[in-house]
Amino acid sequence: MTDRRGKSAVHQPPTTGASPGPPVLPGTATGWELHGRLPHTLPAEEIRAINNPSRAIHEHRAYQWNGWDFDLPPGVFHPGETSRLVHSRLLDGTLPVAGLRYAAIGAGLGVEAVVAGVRGARVVYALDVHPESVRTTARHYERIVGNDGPRLVALVADVWEGFPDGEQVDVVTFNPPAIELPLSDDPEIVRNLCLGRDIAARFFDQVVARDLLAAGGVVYMILSNTAPLRDIVAMALESGFGAEVLHVEDWPGDNVQTYLFALRRESLVGED
């Protein structure tokens, strides 16, 4: 999972090294037209300047949001500005989950799961490759949402590996750790920031192969031009999803553009 000061991911630097230009605004393009208008990835030196990973991930930390208190054991991801773009939109219903089967990929400390529980999801799946993050999510969910809330299924899973066979979801949120530059040799930092486009490829491959997203379902994915975002959106389109921009954050002081995409299932590869 990535964030501001590690927003999301990298491809190859653009050949011109030019600034990315005005962002693609919501509602102005979809599908392959949208893909063609997305910014190229920023040059490597800009990405390194923006992302300065902290070794505080090895410490016990605290996080507060929406009046809720969370504790973070070592190794659990600390949310930042990019994560809060998703959290706030889940909370205000812009990303609707009420009555729907919801999955948080990269559950972290559990904010998305908690919000989905409070907003009345039908069932909440929280998946993370990091066992302590899964335990932390379950603990926060039990304390904040409680036993009267929707059922939580907290799973140690590498993307979708470990998700129950035969189950489907209606809504997914994913903030992939797709940075491709070697920002650190610390394995905890690499896991949270620098897995490259491979993690997105595995995400879409597994969704298609296992038919995990229900008809009419939607994946809300957040990526920036520190990422191979054109390549990742192309993966979605080639996997049978439509793509549109719901929100774009043009951060002051740098050339980073962060996009919140809605990727809706149209037809999956292999279907008639």
Side-chain angles (χ1 to χ4, degrees):
M1 181 181 292
T2 58
D3 223 321
R4 182 73 175 161
R5 303 304 128 191
K7 295 186 195 76
S8 217
V10 211
H11 181 30
Q12 298 296 322
T15 55
T16 64
S19 62
V24 181
L25 298 178
T28 60
T30 60
W32 286 106
E33 179 187 356
L34 166 63
H35 173 269
R37 293 173 56 187
L38 290 171
H40 292 280
T41 304
L42 290 172
E45 60 271 19
E46 286 194 52
I47 295 166
R48 290 193 177 96
I50 292 163
N51 294 279
N52 184 19
S54 170
R55 292 185 62 83
I57 194 168
H58 296 286
E59 302 170 1
H60 203 111
R61 295 141 295 142
Y63 179 70
Q64 294 80 36
W65 185 77
N66 193 46
W68 299 323
D69 293 322
F70 300 85
D71 69 282
L72 287 77
V76 176
F77 178 79
H78 188 288
E81 295 174 55
T82 301
S83 293
R84 286 189 285 273
L85 292 177
V86 176
H87 299 166
S88 61
R89 284 160 180 77
L90 284 171
L91 187 64
D92 69 14
T94 301
L95 310 184
V97 295
L100 301 174
R101 297 163 292 182
Y102 167 73
I105 304 296
L109 78 167
V111 178
E112 292 99 332
V114 166
V115 175
V118 168
R119 292 292 298 173
R122 178 174 157 191
V123 59
V124 177
Y125 295 96
L127 289 73
D128 203 295
V129 72
H130 185 233
E132 187 60 41
S133 294
V134 175
R135 289 189 290 268
T136 299
T137 292
R139 185 173 69 254
H140 291 150
Y141 192 92
E142 180 179 4
R143 177 173 55 83
I144 298 171
V145 181
N147 295 329
D148 294 333
R151 178 171 61 100
L152 173 70
V153 182
L155 300 168
V156 177
D158 186 358
V159 193
W160 292 102
E161 291 178 8
F163 191 79
D165 289 335
E167 298 290 328
Q168 289 186 317
V169 295
D170 304 295
V171 179
V172 181
T173 58
F174 191 25
N175 181 10
I179 289 177
E180 292 184 337
L181 290 179
L183 298 177
S184 175
D185 58 3
D186 185 324
E188 295 285 14
I189 292 173
V190 170
R191 174 176 59 82
N192 281 283
L193 293 177
C194 307
L195 297 184
R197 75 194 71 189
D198 172 68
I199 192 168
R202 289 188 289 119
F203 174 90
F204 289 114
D205 286 348
Q206 291 169 21
V207 166
V208 171
R210 297 182 57 188
D211 194 23
L212 295 174
L213 193 67
V218 58
V219 174
Y220 298 111
M221 182 174 287
I222 197 158
L223 295 162
S224 83
N225 59 340
T226 63
L229 74 92
R230 279 182 166 225
D231 289 352
I232 292 174
V233 170
M235 290 177 195
L237 297 172
E238 290 165 355
S239 297
F241 290 83
E244 64 176 308
V245 173
L246 293 186
H247 177 80
V248 59
E249 196 74 22
D250 194 9
W251 307 93
D254 59 38
N255 289 318
V256 176
Q257 296 175 7
T258 300
Y259 288 84
L260 175 60
F261 296 99
L263 308 174
R264 290 186 169 85
R265 177 180 175 181
E266 293 182 344
S267 62
L268 293 186
V269 173
E271 292 184 344
D272 294 333

